[in-house]
Amino acid sequence: MLQRKYIVFTQDTYLRCSIDALMQASFTEEILCFCDVDSFPSLDALYRAIESVCADTRVIIISRGLWLSRLLGSLVDLEMTDDFYKWRLCIFKGQRNHSRKIIDKILSIRQLKTLTRREIYVIHLLLAANSVSEAAKLARFDVKFFQAITIAIARKYNLRNSNELHFFVRKYMLWS
């Protein structure tokens, strides 16, 4: 008989109890790490949790459709609203996201690796300003031109518009 080994990162008690019940009936050979990414207050907190506890394990990313799960879109395994059979299928035959792959994705987001110099400059302006139009004034750019740049950056991060990008930069990119 195989020993059940799993770790759950969530602030949702119902989700934790559901995973416990599901895993009592499931036996896997590997250690699983269930990670509700939208429970984390920042990218840094998510990074620290996965790096410290889930080193070299398979991570199942659970999404609520909020900010952090949008950024990690291609790595999301399960949605909160998925049915029981999809959860079981994911546990046994789902994509194999190991912790190293997720850590690398978080680092590329945090270090702005996919952005050009101008886009990095825009990110820093968004951090310094209280609004997108104020950031455009700081850069001495036309507001529409500045918004076009911010929309392009937002698309790279699976966000909808420049206001969402500004919110994301202010809330999630402030790390220690």
Side-chain angles (χ1 to χ4, degrees), residues 40-99:
F40 289 91
S42 68
L43 280 173
D44 197 41
L46 176 61
Y47 172 80
R48 283 193 312 262
I50 291 176
E51 185 180 52
S52 64
V53 179
C54 296
D56 203 31
T57 61
R58 181 173 163 226
V59 180
I60 296 177
I61 301 290
I62 302 166
S63 167
R64 296 172 188 265
L66 301 177
W67 300 99
L68 293 180
S69 59
R70 275 197 233 159
L71 292 173
L72 301 173
S74 61
L75 300 176
V76 170
D77 294 299
L78 292 168
E79 299 286 331
M80 286 291 290
T81 57
D82 287 338
D83 64 5
F84 172 76
Y85 296 106
K86 185 164 183 184
W87 279 74
R88 287 193 48 96
L89 182 68
C90 182
I91 290 170
F92 293 109
K93 298 180 183 177
Q95 57 178 316
R96 303 290 180 191
N97 289 331
H98 284 275
S99 57

Side-chain angles (χ1 to χ4, degrees), residues 43 104-125 127 153 156-157 165 168-169 172-173 175:
L43 280 173
D104 290 344
K105 175 79 171 186
I106 292 170
L107 286 175
S108 73
I109 292 170
R110 283 179 54 193
Q111 296 170 356
L112 308 173
K113 287 184 178 178
T114 60
L115 301 180
T116 64
R117 272 191 218 157
R118 177 185 281 171
E119 291 170 337
I120 292 171
Y121 177 62
V122 167
I123 293 290
H124 289 292
L125 288 170
L127 276 170
I153 298 169
K156 287 183 180 182
Y157 287 129
L165 176 68
F168 165 73
V169 166
Y172 294 109
M173 286 197 153
W175 54 80

Side-chain angles (χ1 to χ4, degrees), residues 136-150:
K137 288 176 187 172
L138 282 174
R140 295 188 179 122
F141 287 158
D142 180 50
V143 174
K144 287 187 179 186
F145 177 70
F146 192 81
Q147 282 189 327
I149 296 170
T150 57

Side-chain angles (χ1 to χ4, degrees), residues 27-38:
F27 298 98
T28 62
E29 295 178 10
E30 58 192 340
I31 298 172
L32 295 177
C33 178
F34 293 90
C35 185
D36 176 12
V37 294
D38 292 316

